[in-house]
Amino acid sequence: MAVQVEIWTDINCPFCYLGKRRFEEALAEFPHRDGVTVVHRSFELDPTLPREHSDAVVPHIAEKYGISEAQAAANERGIGAQAEAMGLAYVTSGRDFGSSFDMHRLLHFALEQGRQEQLLDALYAANFGDERPLFGDTERLVQVAVSAGFDEPAVRGVLADPEAFADAVRADEAEAARLGARGVPFFVLDRKYGVSGAQPPEVFAQALQQAWSDHAPELQIVADADTCGPDGCAVPQRD
């Protein structure tokens, strides 16, 4: 018996970074954690960006939400404080953003090898914990994948073929739309329960328990009569 958790995320998304850690905290305490399988699905926050795109995060946030760059920088510091409280590295200035399509293709490549988690963690660390640009730089992406233990020629082969795993990425995104996901992170348990956003660990714990209980429902007593137990047998009642 297993519960499948699918998590739609994007490398550009700071709340995906935080949400992953909070979910992991809940899973670590879940008594049936060995019966839970996790698959990470693709979601691009901006699928219109060209693959070579790279730009600074803070001005982008300011323009997108109609706030000042000072406010955008303050927002980044606030997210950074949340990350630090969870033991996650978070650079609050100097980061870039861009197209994550090739990263998602590599994540499907890693899934095929049974090592998706390692690559996702490496990508998050490179994006949020390192000032060096990550997006629009094939060599940097290769470096991150190789540092996570992946074969360099194989990684370069995926990146050199624009259609490698592209259909898998598009299929994930189409499924997210079908399920009604308007943003990420988006957690789906057994295609029955959805959790949206970087929720506290206790919310994920509750969702895990609910999904698990559906697999192992409590026994319903439909008829009852006299029984014998550790304390003896029921005494027959005389008329």
Side-chain angles (χ1 to χ4, degrees):
M1 182 173 70
V3 169
Q4 184 183 60
V5 181
E6 297 167 277
I7 311 173
W8 273 264
T9 57
D10 188 31
I11 309 305
N12 282 293
C13 168
F15 294 110
C16 296
Y17 184 44
L18 304 186
K20 183 177 186 292
R21 175 56 62 88
R22 290 172 180 166
F23 172 77
E24 288 170 345
E25 290 178 5
L27 184 59
E29 298 297 322
F30 187 56
H32 309 292
R33 57 186 174 274
D34 290 341
V36 177
T37 60
V38 179
V39 179
H40 297 276
R41 302 293 188 194
S42 303
F43 190 106
E44 294 172 273
L45 290 179
D46 188 350
T48 68
L49 292 174
R51 289 177 175 174
E52 66 276 8
H53 184 92
S54 172
D55 206 350
V57 166
V58 169
H60 167 68
I61 293 173
E63 181 180 358
K64 182 174 182 178
Y65 295 103
I67 59 178
S68 69
E69 289 196 18
Q71 289 173 308
N75 289 344
E76 279 289 281
R77 290 192 296 272
I79 297 172
Q82 293 182 57
E84 183 179 1
M86 290 185 282
L88 294 172
Y90 195 97
V91 176
T92 58
S93 62
R95 293 192 300 106
D96 68 334
F97 78 98
S99 171
S100 56
F101 190 73
D102 283 346
M103 298 176 190
H104 287 298
R105 293 197 301 117
L106 281 179
L107 284 167
H108 275 282
F109 158 74
L111 175 63
E112 194 176 75
Q113 298 191 18
R115 300 178 58 220
Q116 189 184 41
E117 199 84 25
Q118 292 94 319
L119 182 57
L120 181 59
D121 285 341
L123 290 169
Y124 276 147
N127 184 32
F128 295 108
D130 194 327
E131 289 184 352
R132 288 177 293 172
L134 176 64
F135 296 92
D137 186 343
T138 298
E139 289 305 311
R140 175 86 169 108
L141 188 51
V142 169
Q143 180 188 43
V144 170
V146 171
S147 71
F150 291 87
D151 179 69
E152 182 172 342
V155 170
R156 290 189 181 279
V158 172
L159 294 176
D161 179 1
E163 292 306 313
F165 300 98
D167 287 346
V169 175
R170 296 182 184 115
D172 278 356
E173 294 175 336
E175 187 66 7
R178 190 189 71 79
L179 292 171
R182 297 181 178 85
V184 286
F186 188 63
F187 300 76
V188 177
L189 293 81
D190 283 343
R191 293 295 173 102
K192 293 179 66 176
Y193 301 101
V195 178
S196 180
Q199 299 285 351
E202 53 266 27
V203 173
F204 292 120
Q206 182 180 5
L208 286 166
Q209 185 57 57
Q210 182 65 58
W212 186 267
S213 296
D214 282 355
H215 281 273
E218 293 183 0
L219 181 66
Q220 301 295 313
I221 304 299
V222 296
D224 194 12
D226 294 338
T227 59
C228 294
D231 297 324
C233 300
V235 177
Q237 299 298 316
R238 294 182 179 179
D239 295 330

